[in-house]
Amino acid sequence: MIYTTQMDAAKKGIITAQMLTVAQKETMDPENLRSLVAAGKVAIPANKNHKNLDSEGVGQGLSTKINVNLGVSKDCYDIDLELAKVRKAIELKTTAIMDLSCFGKTQEFRRKLIEMSPVMIGTVPMYDAVGMLDKDLKDITVDEFFSVVEKHAEDGVDFMTIHCGMNRATAERVKNNKRLTNIVSRGGSLLFAWMELNNQENPFYEYYDRLLDICEKFDVTLSLGDACRPGSLNDSTDPAQIEELITLGELTKRAWARNVQVMIEGPGHMSLNEIAANVLLEKKLCHGAPFYVLGPIVTDIAPGYDHITSAIGGAIAASNGADFLCFVTPAEHLRLPNLDDMKEGIIAARIAAHAADIAKGIPGARKWDNEMSAARADVDFTRMISLAIDPEKARRYREESQPECEDTCTMCGKMCPMKNMKKILNGEDLSIV
């Protein structure tokens, strides 16, 4: 039977090769997964032209996925460095990579990225439109915007962030409800500026069916961007954010009617006590579509440590039902991340995702923790290091501070409770002096 997209296949009762891959990874019944894809509650971003993709699913009942942002900019134009980041991100077990390139030979980098990457690839075509077309923002035409989207789809991009929900009505909400940090979404701010400069509607909202034509043709998952995500605690859950979310829910149903898979993007900066409610709002207003969050960053005061503020918010969001976490690095708000920043961000996001998976009862999530605990009870440092989420760092810390006795560490030494309890329970003598 012929099908156009993963969602189209699922609706027709077809279990695709991609669904089988995801079902095996998630230890889920393939038929159950197919039904979730058909209902839009799981997305499997898998562009027909991404030939070496090792498919992943995002959504209800699946493990929490993480995304890494990278790409070249005018101030830091080093393709080799960005490709090194790609290799490191894959080594560190990211689930997805978003290419946010906005300057220079963007297509050359994007094609290399897709060719070498088995993980799903996302982009924000709005960035590339400004960088690639080399025109003033005001002068970019509607046809040019869509030509960039189609080029990304042809190249094999699996999901695209497009800010379709910020129409002129939502833009008025922004202007009439003063924010502390205005619009902090880069793509959203560019679209807002284009709309104001040209006195026109958002082209991706006005010509949404044209966008769906492209997504359906290549099976691109539409990641509906949150142009009005809060950039400060002060601006969270305000009228502009909620109005845009309502619009995204309407656009989700239109996409599903065309068999186009959808993810919904979410905040942003937000205090701890608002996170669960925001996840609930997204799931209600957007009909259970997978939720992709940046952070949320739970305090505004920690530049240099926003991988931590983000991991705190991400763990809470995912444990309450968010499905996909976008990593945040220590360089957030300060500069383009380097390799070390990227590693810190990935590990923090993976910890948040894993902690949430335990809370959600994802099959197999707790098994890893139990194995680590058993290694600790056995005072088996070799095994502990091999099980660590970052074995390289765990090994370095162990080697930097050697204890008198090899089966202890320099924190407790001979008073190690694990070692001593093991001896006492085995009926052995205990010598601490």
Side-chain angles (χ1 to χ4, degrees):
M1 189 181 296
I2 297 173
Y3 61 89
T4 55
T5 67
Q6 293 293 319
M7 177 172 265
D8 182 38
K11 288 180 181 178
K12 291 174 176 175
I14 301 169
I15 296 174
T16 65
Q18 291 83 1
M19 291 179 207
L20 285 172
T21 297
V22 173
Q24 184 175 23
K25 288 180 178 181
E26 303 284 346
T27 62
M28 177 179 279
D29 175 60
E31 176 58 28
N32 184 21
L33 178 64
R34 182 204 63 76
S35 67
L36 290 168
V37 174
K41 293 180 179 179
V42 166
I44 302 178
N47 187 310
K48 295 172 183 176
N49 290 341
H50 190 173
K51 301 302 183 184
N52 65 331
L53 177 68
D54 186 10
S55 302
E56 295 280 0
V58 180
Q60 182 178 309
L62 308 186
S63 59
T64 307
K65 306 305 186 297
I66 71 159
N67 171 70
V68 168
N69 292 336
L70 43 76
V72 292
S73 68
K74 187 172 183 179
D75 289 319
C76 296
Y77 188 75
D78 188 337
I79 287 180
D80 289 338
L81 175 59
E82 295 309 302
L83 290 174
K85 289 181 186 177
V86 172
R87 288 187 284 272
K88 191 64 175 178
I90 294 169
E91 177 190 324
L92 291 171
K93 301 180 181 178
T94 187
T95 322
I97 294 172
M98 286 200 78
D99 173 19
L100 307 187
S101 295
C102 58
F103 179 79
K105 297 179 180 179
T106 54
Q107 187 175 46
E108 177 184 322
F109 175 73
R110 182 169 60 251
R111 286 179 170 175
K112 284 183 179 178
L113 169 62
I114 292 166
E115 182 180 355
M116 69 190 286
S117 175
V119 306
M120 54 185 171
I121 300 299
T123 59
V124 186
M126 187 68 189
Y127 300 170
D128 200 21
V130 175
M132 184 185 72
L133 295 171
D134 197 24
K135 295 176 68 172
D136 286 337
L137 177 64
K138 181 179 184 294
D139 298 329
I140 298 175
T141 67
V142 171
D143 286 343
E144 285 173 330
F145 279 133
F146 279 98
S147 72
V148 174
V149 172
E150 185 143 26
K151 192 176 296 292
H152 283 221
E154 288 173 348
D155 286 344
V157 171
D158 301 298
F159 65 99
M160 294 186 203
T161 293
I162 302 184
H163 300 88
C164 306
M166 190 186 62
N167 54 25
R168 298 196 74 177
T170 304
E172 285 302 309
R173 290 280 186 201
V174 174
K175 289 188 282 186
N176 294 333
N177 295 270
K178 181 62 179 172
R179 288 178 145 198
L180 192 59
T181 48
N182 296 312
I183 291 177
V184 299
S185 159
R186 183 170 23 163
S189 67
L190 291 169
L191 267 174
F192 181 92
W194 186 92
M195 291 161 64
E196 292 289 304
L197 291 168
N198 290 285
N199 194 30
Q200 289 190 46
E201 181 58 274
N202 176 351
F204 297 114
Y205 177 79
E206 185 173 5
Y207 304 105
Y208 187 61
D209 285 328
R210 184 174 177 180
L211 178 62
L212 296 179
D213 288 341
I214 298 170
C215 293
E216 184 180 23
K217 180 179 178 181
F218 295 95
D219 198 0
V220 173
T221 296
L222 194 53
S223 191
L224 290 171
D226 54 336
C228 296
R229 72 171 180 264
S232 61
L233 300 190
N234 183 77
D235 297 342
S236 62
T237 324
D238 73 346
Q241 181 195 334
I242 301 306
E243 177 160 321
E244 182 182 33
L245 190 61
I246 292 169
T247 303
L248 295 183
E250 295 166 350
L251 295 175
T252 295
K253 292 173 76 173
R254 287 175 59 184
W256 287 346
R258 293 285 304 275
N259 296 316
V260 172
Q261 299 182 105
V262 170
M263 298 186 292
I264 306 295
E265 298 188 11
H269 293 234
M270 181 167 289
S271 63
L272 289 169
N273 60 304
E274 295 183 42
I275 294 173
N278 269 261
V279 176
L280 179 62
L281 275 172
E282 184 276 339
K283 291 293 182 178
K284 288 281 189 181
L285 296 175
C286 298
H287 322 293
F291 197 20
Y292 174 25
V293 296
L294 177 68
I297 290 174
V298 296
T299 177
D300 299 332
I301 61 154
Y305 298 92
D306 278 325
H307 59 312
I308 298 173
T309 65
S310 171
I312 294 168
I316 295 170
S319 65
N320 280 280
D323 308 288
F324 195 12
L325 304 180
C326 186
F327 92 145
V328 173
T329 78
E332 185 78 8
H333 305 109
L334 299 171
R335 61 168 168 79
L336 191 76
N338 62 26
L339 263 171
D340 289 336
D341 298 327
M342 187 189 75
K343 178 179 177 180
E344 291 294 314
I346 291 172
I347 297 299
R350 285 187 60 200
I351 292 169
H354 180 69
D357 287 348
I358 294 169
K360 288 192 284 192
I362 297 297
R366 191 178 289 267
K367 181 175 180 288
W368 186 4
D369 295 74
N370 290 342
E371 289 175 351
M372 176 64 86
S373 296
R376 285 178 174 150
D378 288 338
V379 203
D380 185 345
F381 284 95
T382 300
R383 178 70 173 150
M384 284 184 240
I385 290 169
S386 71
L387 286 166
I389 197 166
D390 182 2
E392 180 183 337
K393 187 172 186 178
R395 184 176 297 106
R396 174 165 56 84
Y397 273 43
R398 173 71 177 164
E399 291 173 351
E400 284 175 353
S401 185
Q402 290 293 313
E404 179 185 353
C405 302
E406 287 188 7
D407 56 351
T408 64
C409 76
T410 53
M411 179 71 180
C412 295
K414 289 185 176 181
M415 287 188 284
C416 173
M418 294 295 192
K419 177 182 177 180
N420 293 338
M421 285 299 299
K422 186 177 178 182
K423 282 191 171 186
I424 290 296
L425 291 174
N426 286 336
E428 299 177 26
D429 287 338
L430 185 63
S431 175
I432 295 177
V433 178

